[in-house]
Amino acid sequence: MGTETTARPTAGRMRGHVAHFVTDLTSGRAGHRLPLDYSVNSLRIVDAVIEGMRRQGAEPAGRVAEVLFGLGGYLGEVMVRQAGAVWVDFDAGQCERFGQPVGVRMPDGRVWNPLGRVANRFAYGSRESVRTFYLMLHGRHRPGEAGSDAA
């Protein structure tokens, strides 16, 4: 997924990119009306969409790569809204390690790669569940903690 020629948004543009992607999926413009509301439970839908793409035998290139990037952005935005993360541009070493240009930094300073997590979910199946990843995530705000909007 990290080798496409399509320009990828920087950290400062990810929220807008994800908002546009989600609007397409929830409005019916893309042929779907998925109930994506940035909740932790909506990550089950992300897992189901990815599993459906896998079952159809989709190759992770072209339009599929764009959908996976959008779903990875959605996972990152759930982390931002629910866990207190912020979008960050990866430095050259992180880009090489993660194969992605952006990720999120958690309140405890840890950096995570939601775009890569979605790519792994597609490549390896349900053992790489994005919802389980979120639920096991270290460094997130808990509901009701200062700085958390998940209360």
Side-chain angles (χ1 to χ4, degrees), residues 97-135:
R97 184 176 317 115
F98 294 134
Q100 302 295 339
V102 297
V104 296
R105 183 176 311 282
M106 300 303 287
D108 71 351
R110 296 178 203 211
V111 176
W112 295 94
N113 179 16
L115 305 174
R117 174 54 62 165
V118 165
N120 287 346
R121 173 65 175 89
F122 181 79
Y124 303 115
S126 61
R127 72 177 188 218
E128 296 290 331
S129 164
V130 297
R131 183 172 181 275
T132 300
F133 165 74
Y134 179 89
L135 293 174

Side-chain angles (χ1 to χ4, degrees), residues 40-122:
V40 175
N41 281 335
S42 72
L43 296 176
R44 290 178 188 204
I45 297 164
V46 174
D47 277 327
V49 168
I50 296 167
E51 190 59 30
M53 292 166 51
R54 293 182 82 244
R55 285 186 180 154
Q56 291 177 2
E59 293 294 323
R63 179 66 183 140
V64 171
E66 291 303 313
V67 171
L68 293 174
F69 186 87
L71 293 172
Y74 180 78
L75 170 59
E77 192 61 21
V78 170
M79 295 168 74
V80 167
R81 294 179 184 209
Q82 302 298 332
V86 294
W87 285 104
V88 295
D89 292 307
F90 286 150
D91 63 31
Q94 291 168 321
C95 284
E96 185 176 329
R97 184 176 317 115
F98 294 134
Q100 302 295 339
V102 297
V104 296
R105 183 176 311 282
M106 300 303 287
D108 71 351
R110 296 178 203 211
V111 176
W112 295 94
N113 179 16
L115 305 174
R117 174 54 62 165
V118 165
N120 287 346
R121 173 65 175 89
F122 181 79

